[in-house]
Amino acid sequence: KKFATELEVIRRPDRLDRIAEDIVYHFPRRGYLGKAVVISLDKLTAVRMFDRVERLWKEEIKTLTGQVSKAITEAEKANLKKRLEWMRRMDMAVVVSDEAEEEKKFTEAGLDIARHRARLNKIDANGHDMEFNFKDPEHPLQLVFVCAMWLTGFDAPTVSTLYLDKPQKDHTLMQTIARANRVTSWKIGGVEKKNGEIIDYYGVFRNMKKALKDYAQGPGEESPVQEKTALLKLLDDAILEGIAFCRSKGILIEALLRSEDVFKKLDDFQRHADTLISKDEWWKGFAIHENTITSLYEACKPEVLGKAVMRKVAVFQYLRGIIDAHIQGQDTDAISKKIAELLDASLVADTSSASIVAEGESKPTHAIIQRGKTWDLSKIDFEKLKAEFKQATYRNIEIADLRAFLEKKMEEMLKVNSTRKDFAQRLQEIINHYNAGGASNESYFDELVKFTKEMKAEDERHVREGLTEDELEIFDLLKKEKMTQAEEQAVKLAAKKLLERLKMGTPRVLVQDWFKDNQSKKQVRSTVEAVLHEQLPETYERSIFTDKCNRVFELMIDYASHGLKWAV
């Protein structure tokens, strides 16, 4: 009768072995590698589960080490090494409450509780206990085995997975599943936490529906907890919506998916990227679809691994990678590596694909995404630039490369001289005019080239003016309209003298955190006024003088408060 009871069935060694095997497979293959809790029936079972998982974890590390040395492609090797390194760093522990004569109880069951108790009571070198470390997203303690502790009133936002193997119901069950449903902005390996996941070994889901209805679900509301098959269905739906979006722009994703060697030919992707890049609204819309697909794909791991749907995900990610390489100047090596890993992982399901590498071959299974063009602004050949555009097959990509270069360069120039905001606004107006349909791509490119010439002149202006970049910024703040040549020289000298006094003069006024102290700020302000009063031309009447002092001082405060230039 004893072994016929449900609880004894839960404790059966062969059943615990199967669960331990599942945890060791599942835990390192999830999308969001957040922390996890294994919830067992009682303390003895929690320790038994720890012992099984710890043993199998070490065996998996040995197996992975061998697989790394036998990997066929570099992407496969990188993927395996990444998982191996994570598994080696990862730490696990038992968290159970103490009781009288527990060592005797555990020893009689053939278990060692002493090492777990010693660790649970230990304070590390930083003065932190185990609970603090488990809540710390960066700490290697990732997996804990419990039966009752940390199930209620415990909040660790990066906990994303519960391995549940204990009868629970009502409010206790609600408190338990809430452990995996905390919101966090903490990314792990670039992946965001979009959901929590419950692995239900016992069959608690039947009780969960009632608990949700009683405690968390209003009339007519959809359950916040669903079978994972619903998530896989959402991924399929998101891919269909992405395909429909592309079709509306004249891009047939289905044709790409039918091509066996699609990932070895960059031209089809380049053509589609050129189409999407033609309008900001189009590539941003595509990015939303790709973000949704990728987020759902990550959430569907590891069940989705090895399924044919991975190839569809790869098509969207590959096209997104090409777009980002031109629009945002993304790291193409990282993009290519990410997609290569995805393709290698999908080969098991994609047996018909010509992208599969023969045994012993180490060539990449896909074409390498090319980084967008860039230029040295001081050496740019504008005639050659125009000629290359006229001969280009994908003109929208050429425009995207130039625009990305200009936007990045403009950002750099603004950091050096904040008075260039109007200049930056002109670039945005050119972009907005094109997006509104006010120009063809040829005239748009011509406008960008024209702006590039003006940007080059602006970038070199400090040399022509005989000033440093910092002196030019102060000069731009101090100058006024319709100055004589003598006045202009006087204002340049004022900019130089002001910088010299503030940075090297005595007594020193730019002291540590001067912008946080009222007395120090007053001293800096009075120094600015004194130097400018002495150096600026007499034609600067009182109102203009005050305005110029205000502008310079406000700029200094702004930079210093952000830890730049004037910060000490």
Side-chain angles (χ1 to χ4, degrees), residues 122-388:
K122 182 181 178 181
I123 303 298
D124 67 17
N126 297 314
H128 300 150
D129 60 10
M130 187 182 291
E131 180 175 339
F132 183 94
N133 290 333
F134 189 65
K135 290 180 178 180
D136 178 3
E138 295 184 300
H139 196 277
L141 179 59
Q142 298 285 318
L143 182 64
V144 293
F145 296 76
V146 308
C147 65
M149 289 182 69
W150 294 6
L151 296 186
T152 60
F154 178 86
D155 192 19
T158 56
V159 170
S160 61
T161 309
L162 299 180
Y163 298 101
L164 185 53
D165 192 32
K166 178 181 180 179
Q168 287 186 316
K169 60 182 180 179
D170 301 334
H171 189 262
T172 302
L173 177 56
M174 288 302 303
Q175 286 283 301
T176 298
I177 66 174
R179 303 284 74 80
N181 203 34
R182 293 292 186 261
V183 176
T184 177
S185 59
W186 187 267
K187 290 185 178 183
I188 300 176
V191 179
E192 294 182 17
K193 181 182 179 183
K194 295 291 187 179
N195 59 281
E197 185 171 24
I198 302 163
I199 314 302
D200 180 14
Y201 296 116
Y202 173 76
V204 176
F205 195 74
R206 59 182 182 270
N207 296 331
M208 197 180 302
K209 292 177 180 177
K210 181 179 183 302
L212 287 166
K213 183 178 179 181
D214 292 343
Y215 295 97
Q217 191 176 349
E221 290 184 7
E222 184 180 0
S223 172
V225 181
Q226 299 181 38
E227 296 274 6
K228 198 165 184 180
T229 51
L231 202 58
L232 294 165
K233 175 66 167 55
L234 285 175
L235 175 59
D236 289 337
D237 291 345
I239 290 172
L240 289 175
E241 290 176 10
I243 289 172
F245 173 84
C246 290
R247 190 186 303 120
S248 71
K249 311 301 181 236
I251 298 170
L252 299 180
I253 296 293
E254 304 98 314
L256 288 176
L257 292 169
R258 284 195 297 268
S259 174
E260 291 186 349
D261 60 352
V262 61
F263 295 107
K264 287 188 174 181
K265 293 182 178 179
L266 191 61
D267 198 59
D268 286 342
F269 285 97
Q270 289 277 65
R271 185 173 69 256
H272 297 327
D274 187 70
T275 298
L276 291 170
I277 286 172
S278 66
K279 293 183 180 180
D280 282 14
E281 178 186 349
W282 289 11
W283 68 260
K284 287 179 180 178
F286 176 81
I288 291 172
H289 283 285
E290 190 277 328
N291 283 341
T292 302
I293 290 167
T294 294
S295 294
L296 286 168
Y297 164 72
E298 294 292 344
C300 286
K301 286 181 179 178
E303 287 81 357
V304 74
L305 297 177
K307 295 187 181 296
V309 70
M310 293 178 66
R311 197 163 186 264
K312 298 177 183 178
V313 175
V315 166
F316 279 91
Q317 289 190 353
Y318 202 67
L319 184 51
R320 172 70 181 277
I322 292 174
I323 292 171
D324 284 353
H326 295 288
I327 292 290
Q328 300 176 12
Q330 291 280 342
D331 181 355
T332 55
D333 292 338
I335 296 169
S336 292
K337 182 180 177 182
K338 174 183 175 183
I339 295 166
E341 290 176 359
L342 178 61
L343 291 174
D344 275 341
S346 70
L347 295 184
V348 65
D350 195 16
T351 54
S352 65
S353 176
S355 66
I356 296 179
V357 178
E359 186 173 353
E361 187 180 354
S362 60
K363 294 179 181 178
T365 60
H366 64 292
I368 302 299
I369 292 175
Q370 299 170 355
R371 186 183 301 275
K373 291 182 180 179
T374 188
W375 296 268
D376 181 341
L377 188 59
S378 65
K379 300 176 182 177
I380 196 165
D381 185 335
F382 292 101
E383 293 306 316
K384 182 180 178 182
L385 191 64
K386 290 180 179 180
E388 288 176 347

Side-chain angles (χ1 to χ4, degrees), residues 32 89 103 120 196 272 288 361 492 494-495 524:
Y32 184 79
R89 287 196 309 269
E103 284 199 39
L120 192 56
H272 297 327
I288 291 172
E361 187 180 354
K492 287 181 181 178
V524 172

Side-chain angles (χ1 to χ4, degrees), residues 18-34:
R18 290 290 302 278
I19 291 174
E21 290 170 4
D22 191 66
I23 291 172
V24 172
Y25 171 82
H26 181 273
F27 191 56
R29 291 172 174 81
R30 298 166 300 152
Y32 184 79
L33 295 175

